[in-house]
Amino acid sequence: MVKFLHTADWQLGMTRSFLSEEAQGRFTQARIDAICTMADLAMEGGARFGVVAGDVFESNLLSPQVVARSLEAMRVSRLAWYLLPGNHDPLDASSIYRQRGFLEHKPENVNVISDSVPISVDPGVELVGAPWPNKRPLRDLVETSLKELQSPGETIRVAVGHGAVDILAPDKRNPANICLAEAERALEEGRIHYLALGDRHSSTIVGGAGRIRYSGAPEPTDYDEERPGFALLIDLTAEKCDVRELPLARWKFARETFELSGDADLPHLRAWFDALPSKETAIVKLGLKGALSIQGQVELTALLEEQRHLLGALEVWEKESHLVIRPTAADLDEIGLTGYARTALEDLRARVDGGTGSSEVVDALALLYRLVRANPTGTGGGLS
Ligand SMILES: [Mn+2]
């Protein structure tokens, strides 16, 4: 029997274009903090070691600070770590694992899986890894690492790989796809007892009666991930494989579309924002459709500005956004025009309502509205 931690895709040092400098710093730190959090939970649960199934680092070109802090977190965690080079951090000539910044800071409890020779990690337990030698391998590295192996007898053997399993791969012709049938065969023949995979950021059972899994990334990285934010505590024997998902994620991605049929719907949008927990670690992408008055648009702009200050990031979902501004009589009253100017504005508004008004007309009206609101020098705002 052995208990161990299965994690992957830390991608330490990852940057996201939509984060401000301040948010990026916290995002980076959260990924580093997850190392100690998961190690504590795993050791409380009896784990003897941790495998990181590839993409430990975002790339082979990282700031010395990210490398040093990551290794320091691993050192402080006290868990024995086995790091597998993946497609982001392959073991090529410029590999991060060969750089001085890594080698000089690497603590005793950190090990790099640099070939497929079985590694004895604990009495009666060994690892077999399939490290990426470069960014574009031309074969199934997992199959290659397992095919020469004999059954390990009484020893429990854990295989560690990275990449897309063929049945889930977007590109079926990629020669590096991991053949699931071959991995299943290795399990059935008792050559391995578990295959720890990385690359997919969602916690996913692939096959092998729960013995072939992706742990997913400890923190989410994008909107379309189904189940990110976990590491797996594996309790393994030849007869059974119990898995516990350890929840880790502090950041969250949320994507939402709102249909605003008028200004009266704005409170729904505010209520949605108000219900978001831990806004400072929420990354939101918003699609807005429908129609608002000029006043509604001003309120919306203020609401979004306020939320932008609170959130980790706020993005516009361009392809889901189509918001029309329809000036109302109340908007024109607010602008407070009289006489000839009022007649001209009424005419412009009618053209907008009739669908023949250009966006320039609406922009001009909205600008006028904001100017008057910003300089309320009495009714009419001095414009007539
Ligand atoms: Mn990957």
Side-chain angles (χ1 to χ4, degrees):
M1 194 267 281
V2 61
K3 286 188 183 181
F4 65 97
L5 179 67
H6 168 195
T7 175
D9 301 280
W10 292 355
Q11 293 185 228
L12 298 164
M14 168 189 259
T15 56
R16 307 266 75 180
S17 59
F18 43 76
L19 293 175
S20 67
E21 203 177 320
E22 176 272 337
Q24 177 67 60
R26 292 186 293 112
F27 186 81
T28 300
Q29 191 59 43
R31 311 182 74 76
I32 294 175
D33 290 346
I35 296 171
C36 283
T37 309
M38 71 174 90
D40 285 349
L41 291 170
M43 286 189 288
E44 273 168 32
R48 304 282 299 162
F49 60 93
V51 296
V52 192
D55 291 355
V56 181
F57 295 101
E58 172 71 355
S59 79
N60 281 332
L61 273 174
L62 288 178
S63 75
Q65 190 184 53
V66 166
V67 177
R69 287 190 179 171
S70 304
L71 290 169
E72 174 67 1
M74 288 182 239
R75 183 186 72 79
V76 169
S77 76
R78 300 187 348 269
L79 189 63
W81 292 104
Y82 292 86
L83 314 183
L84 184 82
N87 60 304
H88 278 262
D89 52 359
L91 210 51
D92 58 17
S94 63
S95 178
I96 195 146
Y97 301 106
R98 297 195 159 117
Q99 292 169 21
R100 199 196 287 176
F102 179 86
L103 295 169
E104 282 180 358
H105 292 97
K106 187 181 84 63
E108 293 267 300
N109 60 327
V110 171
N111 308 275
V112 178
I113 303 176
S114 53
D115 56 35
S116 295
V117 177
I119 305 166
S120 174
V121 290
D122 220 37
V125 186
E126 66 180 33
L127 292 182
V128 174
W132 281 51
N134 56 61
K135 272 195 180 298
R136 295 212 168 273
L138 296 173
R139 60 184 198 285
D140 175 348
L141 299 169
V142 171
E143 183 192 351
T144 308
S145 74
L146 300 182
K147 71 177 177 208
E148 305 288 326
L149 292 178
Q150 306 294 318
S151 163
E154 295 297 298
T155 298
I156 295 291
R157 185 185 282 151
V158 175
V160 190
H162 186 91
V165 164
D166 52 8
I167 58 161
L168 299 173
D171 175 9
K172 301 288 180 210
R173 289 170 308 176
N174 186 341
N177 288 343
I178 299 165
C179 175
L180 181 60
E182 284 299 329
E184 300 259 23
R185 211 148 63 98
L187 280 167
E188 280 156 22
E189 294 173 3
R191 284 180 280 140
I192 61 172
H193 299 98
Y194 185 85
L195 172 55
L197 291 174
D199 196 38
R200 196 177 164 79
H201 292 190
S202 298
S203 172
T204 311
I205 302 173
V206 184
R211 289 172 186 258
I212 304 175
R213 299 181 72 127
Y214 287 96
S215 62
E219 285 282 349
T221 60
D222 217 333
Y223 296 99
D224 50 13
E225 293 162 358
E226 286 154 22
R227 204 172 162 68
F230 297 93
L232 306 178
L233 179 60
I234 313 290
D235 183 350
L236 187 65
T237 69
E239 288 75 38
K240 68 158 186 150
C241 173
D242 292 334
V243 177
R244 205 167 95 209
E245 282 182 326
L246 307 174
L248 298 165
R250 295 214 306 245
W251 285 72
K252 183 179 63 196
F253 283 74
R255 196 162 46 180
E256 197 73 39
T257 305
F258 280 90
E259 188 75 44
L260 301 168
S261 56
D263 298 3
D265 285 340
L266 283 172
H268 301 310
L269 180 58
R270 176 175 282 283
W272 183 82
F273 275 122
D274 285 348
L276 273 180
S278 313
K279 284 186 185 171
E280 70 283 0
T281 49
I283 295 169
V284 172
K285 188 182 261 189
L286 218 51
L288 294 172
K289 294 180 176 175
L292 292 176
S293 72
I294 293 180
Q295 192 198 333
Q297 197 230 12
V298 169
E299 279 174 29
L300 173 67
T301 305
L303 172 63
L304 296 181
E305 203 47 40
E306 171 195 319
Q307 297 302 318
R308 202 182 297 281
H309 291 143
L310 298 172
L311 290 164
L314 177 59
E315 291 193 283
V316 177
W317 196 357
E318 298 288 355
K319 83 176 176 58
E320 289 291 323
S321 288
H322 184 66
L323 198 58
V324 182
I325 307 303
R326 287 194 207 290
T328 61
D331 289 333
L332 296 193
D333 288 345
E334 181 78 18
I335 295 173
L337 297 184
T338 56
Y340 170 76
R342 173 76 186 212
T343 313
L345 268 189
E346 290 284 5
D347 182 43
L348 287 179
R349 190 175 75 88
R351 278 163 54 190
V352 172
D353 279 352
T356 58
S358 68
S359 64
E360 284 86 359
V361 171
V362 176
D363 289 349
L365 284 174
L367 179 62
L368 211 47
Y369 183 96
R370 280 193 290 269
L371 283 174
V372 172
R373 285 277 288 251
N375 301 292
T377 55
T379 313
L383 297 164
S384 65

